[in-house]
Amino acid sequence: MFRWLKRFKVTIVVVIALIGFFIWWNGTRGYDDQALAGLPDLSGVDESSVLEDGGSKLEASYQDYYDGLVKQDVKDAEDFSLTLNGADYTAISDKGTKKLDQLGDRQGNVVALEEEDSWVEYTFDVPADGFYQMSMDYYAMEGKRSSIVRSVQVDGSYPFYQSKKLEFQRMWQETGDTWTDNQGNEFNPRREEVFGWQNRAFKDSEGKSYDPFRYYLTKGKHTVRIGNIREPGAIGAVYIFAPEHLPTYADVQKQYAEQGYKPVSNILIKVQAEEATLRSDPTLKRIEDREPDTEPFNKDAIALNSFGGASWRTGGQWAQWEVEVPESGLYEIGARYGQWFLNGIPVQRSITIDGKFPFKEMNETTFPYKAEWQIAKFGAQDDSDPYQFYLEKGKHTIRMEVQVGALGPLLETVTNTVRKMSLMGREVIQVTGTNPDVNGDWTLERNIVNLVPRLQLMAKHFDDVIQGLYGLGVTHGSSEVSTLYEARDVLLSMAKDTKSIPARMNQFTDLQSSLGTWVSGLTKQSMVLDYLIVKSPDQKWPRPAAPWLTRTGTMVYDFFTSFTKDYSNVGNSYKGEKVLEVWIARGRDWVDIIKQMIDEDFTPSTGIKVNVNVIPANNSQVLLLANTSGIAPDVALGVDAEVPIDYAVRNGLVNLGEFSDYDDVAARFRPGALIPYQYNGGNYALPENQNFNMLFYRKDIMEQLGYTEEDIPDTWDEVMNMIPVLQQNGMDFYYPHSPNNPALAINEFAPFLFQQNGEFYKENGKKSNLDSPESLNAFKMWTGLFTNYKIQKQADFYNRFRSGEMPIGVADYSTYVLLSTAAPELTGWWGMKPMPGIQQADGQINRSTGGLAQTGMIFKSTDMKDQSWEFLKWWTSADTQERFGSELESLLGVEARWNTANIEALKEMPWSTSDINAIMEQWNWFKEREVVIGGYYTTRHIANIWNEVVLNGKITREAVEEGVRSINKELRKKREEFGLDESKDSSGSAASAANATATDQGEGGDKP
């Protein structure tokens, strides 16, 4: 033994040293929960910023409003209830409203708010000062499938920002049974709206508050105005009442005992969650789960055996189930659920039975985190007994609604602290400028009031939230808490060494973005349900999950069968007959909807059977290989816009212009949207969707800076005059730039070129036109934003827009979706208008811009040419596009709103009137760039020119001339390769029609 130790002593010492180092290193990786122990007493520190002296125009949050009034000793009103008939209003808007009689099953008159910005007012008296709650009977009228949104003003103002956007859900149910394809896979039935009267209290649309809003009313007369923000709906009655105080379970238990209620016996009922009778949102649907105990389970095909999942996550979303019990008595209720979406963080649901909370605790039912299925015994804590519920014999409804609940105040604290960080960052920039000397001797404490204690107090706020999360049962070390620890420690470090702050401003602003994303993530309270359990206390609870051996067997079976399953086919798959083959480069959820629409609509109306295959999105290499090997499909959808001409130049696509009704079909789109698909007089694709940029602005901040809505810039000259004003106030303008994706640079540059009346190419695509005077001016304007005006080269616009650091900027339509759904505090305080342009000699402002997206095309190898054209016409029609957009939004939420290229279909999407008007005005200037053979060099060198000018300081003309030489060389080489001689090209093409493309993947983009 000793000889062995002596022989390997060096190795042993090294191993021991490495183990010791690892233990030490691992110990330093954690966060110190005692980091605030040495801080002074921060009570009484003034956290206000000098930038708030002018007064923020944003309304307070409900939490701040309520807490402030409670500190003033305001109490709940008592013993008061008032009903205001919907038709008994005291004032009403001049248009957009209508009185209706006997709507639904309601007798008498009601008032309908049918158009946006319509409103109705009611006047009433209350007998005493105090908090009051309100609710409303409403009827969701036929609209654009979105939930109804209303605003509530009290005495002419919004008491808190959440009152500007109250959501009233519609009701949806499944139409018929699920259906299976000929491979045995199960598919969701369509959801249809159920029209009827509902009652809902005025409460937080995000579910961050347990109770309905408490409005403070003084004794006497008051006016409440209900305004239409989105979707038509009728008001049957408005109720004002003293806040309801729910009894606790202990109180209800005593009532059970007094009334002699007894537990039932020998009853075990399972209600399959996927069989929900009603839901608030068509996105709530059946989903598949492969855990063997999930009921029902199909080992050979897709079984939609559970409910909810990632789509059941937003505050206010609810689902309802029906259960019939055989006798009256006391029951235990629970559910088999999966909650593995937020690492270590519990989610909550409010649960009502027959429309009412049985007791207070059911308004805050918690579902802990675990990475596998669990059984929730409603009310059980650890090993204690679950709650008992008294149910009369017969049918009952159980409703579960998403409730952020306990997390709400914590998220509110983080949001408020991020806003304070934003204000402090702007104060620092006012002192140091936007590009400070990081080695300068900055004495920020002299210029910024309470700098150090404010930093320390912000760190304390984050630490309080961390401890609050631990109090909710979040496990130590959860990745969901790391962002808060990082923010806390960075703030403490800055407070300790204020001289480092100017050099760390990028880290400071990035933290704000991370925290904004963190808050958004935690408001998504996803959960999946397998079944509800209603049972007698003497029955055992089902096991939560299958044994590990059973699960392992299922995984092994799935692994081996994966070698024989065809995962590319979607829905019904036909063999041995004449079938149209369609390949779609989109996600599975998208393709499932398309295939279902084909089977329900296209095939029955035309008799054309269709096989649909999924190919990877943004991977056109698959199509190239298929075409080369002779197995190309008949039709391809979701194809990148630069790809069609790559095949057209090789004679691989059908010229759609040969069809007699092509012009009628092309009229569905903006003329400028068809430019990229034209080559040598032919037309080789149809656009499916398209991106577009708009100008977004914060009304409140811009007003503080002296800009009314009429003053919001329309031209780039006005933007450049405004940027110094923004920067002097610690803010900035945003223009998109993606340094990690050079392929986007050409789209970022295109608006400046088109607005200068320039083009990318000349002589029908033979030569680059980037050295023209118009192009040079466009380059100078584009790069000048970053060099002369020093706007940030990369930023998270959404989060900085919310924080106020970037109150105005250019962004695409996805930003609209985010602001509409995930920034409730900005409701009414942001706007959208067409992007800035360049004023022309005739006074018009040229706002030209494009946004290449995806297309559909027909391969020339097809032997079903006419059928393929029928399919492409059907797919791009307004009715089909509108239905697909609705189905997609129903499935995935408003975040997946379909940006269709069809003009008429776009108008039918659930945009607000003012926003769709702005979009249509921008579309009047919609213009795509032409795509030519060898054009990938243009894409590459535009990115290079930006880098050379902005990052390396090269003169714009020199950078452009170098790029143009390389581009022309590649264009010439590619034209020679494909035999596009000058005589043939000049005689066979019209203006902007002799285009051919060569994408990097299709044309060897890495060639020198």
Side-chain angles (χ1 to χ4, degrees):
M1 180 70 177
F2 177 76
R3 183 181 302 172
W4 183 87
L5 291 174
K6 185 176 180 180
R7 180 180 179 185
F8 296 102
K9 61 182 179 182
V10 175
T11 303
I12 293 171
V13 169
V14 170
V15 170
I16 293 173
L18 289 173
I19 292 173
F21 173 78
F22 176 78
I23 293 173
W24 169 83
W25 172 78
N26 192 58
T28 63
R29 293 178 65 225
Y31 292 99
D32 182 10
D33 285 328
Q34 304 300 317
L36 301 181
L39 291 185
D41 181 16
L42 297 171
S43 59
V45 171
D46 183 6
E47 292 187 85
S48 63
S49 166
V50 295
L51 298 176
E52 294 179 302
D53 289 346
S56 173
K57 290 182 176 293
L58 292 181
E59 295 80 7
S61 70
Y62 172 69
Q63 195 70 44
D64 289 343
Y65 165 83
Y66 178 71
D67 290 345
L69 289 168
V70 168
K71 289 178 182 178
Q72 299 175 34
D73 204 31
V74 175
K75 306 292 185 183
D76 286 348
E78 296 180 355
D79 300 325
F80 178 79
S81 179
L82 175 66
T83 300
L84 303 171
N85 188 284
D88 294 339
Y89 48 80
T90 52
I92 197 166
S93 58
D94 294 333
K95 59 180 182 178
T97 61
K98 183 186 295 183
K99 264 193 177 183
L100 300 174
D101 184 39
Q102 296 184 344
L103 180 62
D105 58 359
R106 194 183 192 99
Q107 300 298 314
N109 290 331
V110 298
V111 64
L113 304 183
E114 296 185 318
E115 297 180 12
E116 294 174 15
D117 299 326
S118 60
W119 53 265
V120 62
E121 279 187 359
Y122 302 93
T123 302
F124 58 95
D125 285 281
V126 295
D129 296 356
F131 287 121
Y132 293 81
Q133 292 176 332
M134 304 183 195
S135 70
M136 181 172 77
D137 289 341
Y138 71 97
Y139 186 100
M141 301 169 69
E142 190 169 348
K144 295 183 178 180
R145 299 166 61 98
S146 298
S147 57
I148 291 175
V149 178
R150 296 292 181 261
S151 62
V152 175
Q153 289 179 282
V154 177
D155 297 329
S157 65
Y158 298 105
F160 39 86
Y161 72 74
Q162 288 93 337
S163 195
K164 301 172 72 175
K165 188 178 180 182
L166 303 182
E167 201 154 343
F168 298 85
Q169 286 81 7
R170 296 176 179 272
M171 297 185 292
W172 300 83
Q173 67 180 7
E174 294 179 337
T175 58
D177 299 323
T178 60
W179 62 280
T180 56
D181 60 22
N182 53 18
Q183 302 171 72
N185 297 312
E186 190 176 18
F187 289 82
N188 273 285
R190 293 185 64 185
R191 274 79 68 199
E192 69 176 6
E193 187 173 356
V194 178
F195 294 97
W197 286 97
Q198 302 181 67
N199 177 272
R200 188 169 181 83
F202 294 175
K203 62 188 299 184
D204 184 9
S205 296
E206 291 190 300
K208 291 181 180 177
S209 176
Y210 286 126
D211 298 327
F213 291 138
R214 282 172 160 82
Y215 291 89
Y216 174 59
L217 302 175
T218 56
K219 179 181 178 180
K221 184 170 291 188
H222 295 275
T223 299
V224 59
R225 173 182 287 195
I226 299 174
N228 183 351
I229 303 300
R230 185 180 72 195
E231 293 284 68
I235 300 173
V238 176
Y239 304 92
I240 294 102
F241 50 91
E244 180 183 6
H245 297 276
L246 296 171
T248 64
Y249 178 64
D251 296 332
V252 173
Q253 265 189 315
K254 293 177 183 177
Q255 296 175 13
Y256 288 168
E258 292 171 358
Q259 296 174 4
Y261 294 155
K262 301 294 183 182
V264 297
S265 59
N266 299 320
I267 296 174
L268 175 61
I269 302 171
K270 289 182 180 179
V271 181
Q272 295 300 324
E274 63 271 19
E275 297 176 356
T277 54
L278 282 177
R279 64 211 72 198
S280 64
D281 198 318
T283 62
L284 302 181
K285 60 185 179 66
R286 304 170 185 242
I287 60 174
E288 179 197 22
D289 183 76
R290 296 293 295 171
E291 212 276 349
D293 269 13
T294 305
E295 301 176 2
F297 182 73
N298 185 342
K299 64 184 180 67
D300 296 313
I302 294 173
L304 300 179
N305 51 9
S306 51
F307 177 85
S311 63
W312 193 25
R313 62 183 186 177
T314 306
Q317 284 184 317
W318 55 262
Q320 184 170 294
W321 295 267
E322 191 173 271
V323 58
E324 185 169 3
V325 296
E327 60 181 283
S328 301
L330 297 177
Y331 292 81
E332 293 176 347
I333 301 178
R336 183 174 187 261
Y337 74 98
Q339 203 287 91
W340 43 72
F341 298 91
L342 295 176
N343 184 18
I345 293 181
V347 302
Q348 289 190 325
R349 295 291 186 269
S350 65
I351 301 176
T352 58
I353 298 177
D354 298 329
K356 296 181 179 180
F357 291 109
F359 31 82
K360 181 177 182 293
E361 288 82 354
M362 297 311 291
N363 191 24
E364 46 194 77
T365 306
T366 300
F367 295 84
Y369 169 87
K370 194 175 184 181
E372 61 181 35
W373 284 94
Q374 302 177 70
I375 294 292
K377 307 170 185 178
F378 294 165
Q381 302 294 326
D382 300 322
D383 295 326
S384 62
D385 293 330
Y387 297 143
Q388 292 186 344
F389 302 80
Y390 178 74
L391 300 177
E392 291 279 357
K393 177 183 177 180
K395 291 183 179 180
H396 298 271
T397 58
I398 299 175
R399 176 179 291 193
M400 298 177 67
E401 182 173 318
V402 179
Q403 177 99 291
V404 177
L407 280 175
L410 301 179
L411 300 180
E412 184 82 18
T413 298
V414 174
T415 300
N416 287 340
T417 307
V418 169
R419 185 181 62 84
K420 293 169 185 174
M421 290 175 65
S422 172
L423 292 169
M424 178 173 285
R426 288 165 55 189
E427 289 183 68
V428 171
I429 291 173
Q430 283 186 332
V431 175
T432 65
T434 54
N435 290 281
D437 178 3
V438 296
N439 297 314
D441 186 17
W442 301 102
T443 53
L444 296 176
E445 300 95 324
R446 297 181 183 177
N447 299 284
I448 300 177
V449 178
N450 290 332
L451 174 65
V452 172
R454 284 166 62 192
L455 286 168
Q456 293 172 336
L457 197 52
M458 285 189 282
K460 185 178 184 305
H461 292 325
F462 288 132
D463 194 72
D464 290 344
V465 174
I466 292 169
Q467 302 311 316
L469 289 171
Y470 289 155
L472 293 177
V474 176
T475 56
H476 279 67
S478 168
S479 61
E480 297 290 351
V481 187
S482 60
T483 301
L484 297 177
Y485 272 120
E486 181 184 2
R488 183 202 67 180
D489 292 349
V490 166
L491 291 170
L492 290 175
S493 174
M494 286 182 165
K496 188 175 182 180
D497 181 14
T498 58
K499 292 182 179 179
S500 69
I501 291 177
R504 302 173 69 178
M505 286 308 294
N506 284 338
Q507 181 187 23
F508 191 69
T509 53
D510 288 344
L511 264 181
Q512 295 172 56
S513 298
S514 298
L515 289 164
T517 302
W518 182 85
V519 169
S520 297
L522 258 64
T523 58
K524 310 303 184 187
Q525 302 274 293
S526 299
M527 190 173 79
V528 58
L529 280 184
D530 181 16
Y531 50 75
L532 297 175
I533 306 161
V534 180
K535 73 176 192 69
S536 56
D538 62 337
Q539 295 293 304
K540 291 183 178 180
W541 293 92
R543 69 184 185 188
W548 70 269
L549 189 60
T550 305
R551 284 181 282 171
T552 301
T554 300
M555 287 188 290
V556 171
Y557 180 83
D558 286 347
F559 173 75
F560 283 105
T561 56
S562 68
F563 294 102
T564 58
K565 279 186 179 180
D566 183 1
Y567 290 96
S568 59
N569 276 315
V570 177
N572 291 321
S573 180
Y574 305 98
K575 295 181 180 179
E577 50 188 316
K578 193 172 184 180
V579 181
L580 192 69
E581 296 290 341
V582 177
W583 290 10
I584 305 177
R586 287 201 172 87
R588 185 84 186 196
D589 287 334
W590 277 257
V591 179
D592 282 344
I593 295 172
I594 297 172
K595 176 57 174 172
Q596 186 171 348
M597 291 172 60
I598 291 170
D599 289 342
E600 292 178 355
D601 183 14
F602 178 73
T603 298
S605 62
T606 64
I608 302 171
K609 294 180 178 179
V610 180
N611 281 340
V612 170
N613 287 272
V614 184
I615 61 175
N618 301 318
N619 189 354
S620 300
Q621 186 76 21
V622 174
L623 289 173
L624 185 69
L625 295 174
N627 192 49
T628 304
S629 58
I631 56 171
D634 300 300
V635 178
L637 300 180
V639 181
D640 290 341
E642 292 186 339
V643 171
I645 305 305
D646 188 35
Y647 294 91
V649 74
R650 295 172 169 84
N651 198 30
L653 296 182
V654 171
N655 177 8
L656 306 181
E658 296 174 357
F659 294 105
S660 59
D661 53 352
Y662 171 78
D663 290 339
D664 294 333
V665 175
R668 299 169 177 174
F669 318 102
R670 291 291 178 188
L674 300 171
I675 291 174
Y677 322 121
Q678 299 169 342
Y679 162 68
N680 205 25
N683 300 275
Y684 292 92
L686 293 177
E688 297 181 78
N689 58 355
Q690 58 193 37
N691 206 346
F692 49 89
N693 284 329
M694 304 291 290
L695 181 71
F696 296 88
Y697 57 94
R698 285 276 299 270
K699 299 177 185 178
D700 56 324
I701 295 178
M702 298 308 293
E703 284 182 18
Q704 289 178 337
L705 296 175
Y707 290 86
T708 66
E709 287 206 67
E710 290 72 25
D711 298 325
I712 299 300
D714 281 312
T715 68
W716 287 110
D717 286 341
E718 293 173 351
V719 168
M720 293 170 186
N721 289 333
M722 180 191 66
I723 291 176
V725 177
L726 292 171
Q727 294 175 342
Q728 288 165 12
N729 287 275
M731 293 177 275
D732 208 352
F733 180 82
Y734 176 77
Y735 188 79
H737 178 64
S738 302
N740 299 323
N741 190 353
L744 294 180
I746 191 169
N747 293 330
E748 295 159 5
F749 167 68
F752 295 96
L753 178 62
F754 293 153
Q755 291 170 16
Q756 292 279 357
N757 298 309
E759 296 290 344
F760 282 95
Y761 305 100
K762 57 187 176 183
E763 299 181 26
N764 293 325
K766 297 176 187 175
K767 295 181 180 179
S768 173
N769 195 42
L770 294 182
D771 54 356
S772 67
E774 295 84 3
S775 297
L776 287 172
N777 289 336
F779 273 116
K780 289 176 182 177
M781 183 176 289
W782 179 41
T783 58
L785 288 172
F786 303 93
T787 56
N788 299 334
Y789 293 91
K790 306 294 183 184
I791 69 170
Q792 294 196 33
K793 301 176 182 67
Q794 188 177 16
D796 184 339
F797 178 58
Y798 164 67
N799 279 312
R800 297 196 185 182
F801 188 80
R802 289 183 71 179
S803 68
E805 293 174 89
M806 290 182 167
I808 185 168
V810 173
D812 65 16
Y813 86 105
S814 62
T815 301
Y816 170 89
V817 174
L818 278 173
L819 292 174
S820 299
T821 58
E825 76 280 8
L826 298 184
T827 300
W829 288 115
W830 65 272
M832 178 179 74
K833 63 184 296 185
M835 72 178 296
I838 297 176
Q839 191 164 14
Q840 308 297 294
D842 61 1
Q844 278 193 315
I845 297 175
N846 186 337
R847 304 179 189 270
S848 297
T849 183
L852 292 174
Q854 283 82 41
T855 68
M857 60 189 192
I858 302 173
F859 280 88
K860 198 161 190 176
S861 57
T862 181
D863 59 354
M864 301 179 69
K865 180 178 174 181
D866 291 335
Q867 294 90 332
S868 298
W869 178 237
E870 286 299 320
F871 176 82
L872 208 54
K873 287 194 298 181
W874 168 82
W875 171 241
T876 59
S877 66
D879 289 344
T880 303
Q881 287 289 291
E882 191 276 329
R883 179 185 166 189
F884 176 71
S886 297
E887 294 283 353
L888 187 64
E889 197 164 329
S890 297
L891 176 67
L892 301 176
V894 70
E895 297 93 335
R897 180 166 294 172
W898 180 241
N899 52 325
T900 177
N902 186 297
I903 300 169
E904 292 303 316
L906 184 77
K907 295 177 181 178
E908 295 303 315
M909 299 295 177
W911 306 90
S912 69
T913 302
S914 59
D915 294 334
I916 193 62
N917 288 341
I919 290 171
M920 297 311 295
E921 183 181 350
Q922 180 63 68
W923 268 28
N924 289 333
W925 293 96
F926 192 85
K927 179 180 179 180
E928 292 286 22
R929 57 185 172 87
E930 51 187 339
V931 182
V932 307
I933 194 76
Y936 54 88
Y937 253 51
T938 302
T939 300
R940 183 180 309 171
H941 280 282
I942 285 177
N944 290 344
I945 290 168
W946 189 93
N947 291 333
E948 290 292 336
V949 174
V950 177
L951 303 182
N952 298 332
K954 181 172 276 190
I955 296 173
T956 305
R957 178 176 288 277
E958 291 180 4
V960 170
E961 288 177 348
E962 288 181 11
V964 168
R965 281 195 295 269
S966 297
I967 293 169
N968 284 337
K969 181 179 178 181
E970 187 68 13
L971 293 178
R972 184 170 58 253
K973 184 172 70 173
K974 283 299 173 183
R975 294 182 70 82
E976 291 174 357
E977 179 181 339
F978 286 93
L980 302 176
D981 57 81
E982 294 185 8
S983 59
K984 176 182 176 181
D985 200 42
S986 60
S987 62
S989 60
S992 75
N995 306 326
T997 189
T999 60
D1000 285 13
Q1001 57 87 14
E1003 294 294 346
D1006 293 328
K1007 293 179 182 179

